[in-house]
Amino acid sequence: MKIRTMTEGELAMVLDWAQAEGWNPGLDDAPAFHAADPGGFFLAEIDGAPVAAISVVNHDDAHAFLGLYICRPEHRGRGHGFALWQAALAHAGGRTVTLDGVAEQQANYARSGFVFAGRTLRHSLEAVPPGDGTARPAQAADMAALMQMDRAACGHARDGFAKEWFEGTETRRTWVIGPEGAPTAFATHRLCHSGTKIGPLHAQTEAEARALLSCAPQGPVFIDVPEGSGLETLVRSIGFEPVFQTARMHCGPAPQGTAPAYYAVATLELG
């Protein structure tokens, strides 16, 4: 078995694997994911054919995020995935590594030193009620403020990813509330293979959060929120229902972010 870093084109292939697993990635995730850390995406090959993938993205000098851990069904149970896991974790060096893992794998992650920190709950709704029209598309002048708010909530910088994520594409757009150059709240909406995912979402008030949720272009709408958070209470009140959950876990000291009152993660692959 050979382990090597993957290209952006190969990352798009792995996201197709993720779609086959039912993970419902965005239609245009690969460029923004790859920009986070081009050396942080790994493939395992057997006789030149890719059989497993993982990402360990180094966001800054102290923090990394693990995701996209997939082994092709016909190659499972042979140790290929775990060998790739070990090799990819070495890329993080001494950084804290965070992941959002499925509940049934939590014990396996714990054996590698990961400690449970809380649950992230995916909620879904067929259509979000109309908003009050206060949200507007983000502009270039808003970028510095968006990056600053993202760093504060995460507890670390992830500028390579965030810059690409917030600039948007034909299938991904960030909406903001507040004056140009000084927004006070924002949310990114991206079209996926099924519906729209919202994340991250940062809002200080319920009114801001409602306005940002209402910008979703088509349903069903999905959002990943920390269990017990203000945003979980709000989306439940609108009619969202939980459909999936993951365990947020850290290997190393947890990042010390200051999330706003209403907060959703960007993606379960990059945090």
Side-chain angles (χ1 to χ4, degrees):
M1 184 176 70
K2 176 183 178 182
I3 295 173
R4 62 173 178 83
T5 56
M6 69 178 82
T7 66
E8 184 180 315
E10 289 168 331
L11 174 54
M13 172 193 71
V14 170
L15 288 168
D16 287 340
W17 294 1
Q19 169 59 16
E21 294 289 327
W23 296 3
N24 193 28
L27 299 179
D28 195 25
D29 285 350
F33 281 16
H34 199 257
D37 176 10
F41 298 86
F42 301 89
L43 276 178
E45 294 179 329
I46 295 178
D47 296 329
V51 300
I54 195 171
S55 60
V56 176
V57 168
N58 293 339
H59 282 310
D60 66 7
D61 290 341
H63 301 95
F65 202 92
L66 186 155
L68 284 175
Y69 185 35
I70 307 173
C71 187
R72 302 296 284 161
E74 63 270 24
H75 292 279
R76 292 173 184 168
R78 304 178 187 179
H80 303 321
F82 185 62
L84 179 61
W85 165 280
Q86 292 176 304
L89 279 176
H91 177 68
R95 295 172 176 82
T96 288
V97 181
T98 301
L99 61 79
D100 279 307
V102 294
E104 55 265 31
Q105 293 296 326
Q106 186 175 330
N108 289 333
Y109 299 147
R111 284 193 283 271
S112 292
F114 285 83
V115 177
F116 177 78
R119 275 180 284 273
T120 300
L121 305 179
R122 174 164 296 168
H123 288 72
S124 175
L125 182 63
E126 193 58 37
V128 181
D132 59 10
T134 57
R136 60 174 177 83
Q139 305 298 317
D142 301 315
M143 187 61 63
L146 296 178
M147 303 279 277
Q148 183 177 4
M149 286 189 282
D150 190 65
R151 293 185 204 112
C154 293
H156 62 81
R158 52 177 182 179
D159 294 357
F161 165 67
K163 182 176 184 296
E164 291 286 331
W165 201 248
F166 298 148
E167 284 184 349
T169 67
E170 290 184 359
T171 67
R172 187 178 63 248
R173 173 177 286 185
T174 296
W175 294 82
V176 303
I177 295 174
E180 187 169 334
T184 58
F186 72 92
T188 300
H189 297 238
R190 80 192 201 272
L191 294 180
C192 297
H193 290 266
S194 172
T196 299
K197 284 184 181 176
I198 301 175
L201 183 149
H202 293 229
Q204 297 295 343
T205 69
E206 179 179 318
E208 289 178 334
R210 285 181 178 271
L212 293 166
L213 288 168
S214 72
C215 297
Q218 66 184 50
V221 179
F222 304 94
I223 188 166
D224 298 320
V225 300
E227 184 178 37
S229 65
L231 188 55
E232 184 194 6
T233 301
L234 173 58
V235 297
R236 294 280 191 106
S237 73
I238 293 173
F240 280 82
E241 294 183 352
V243 295
F244 179 67
Q245 67 173 281
T246 59
R248 174 60 63 98
M249 304 181 76
H250 305 288
C251 185
Q256 298 301 307
T258 305
Y262 299 88
Y263 175 73
V265 302
T267 81
L268 299 182
E269 293 81 23
L270 273 82

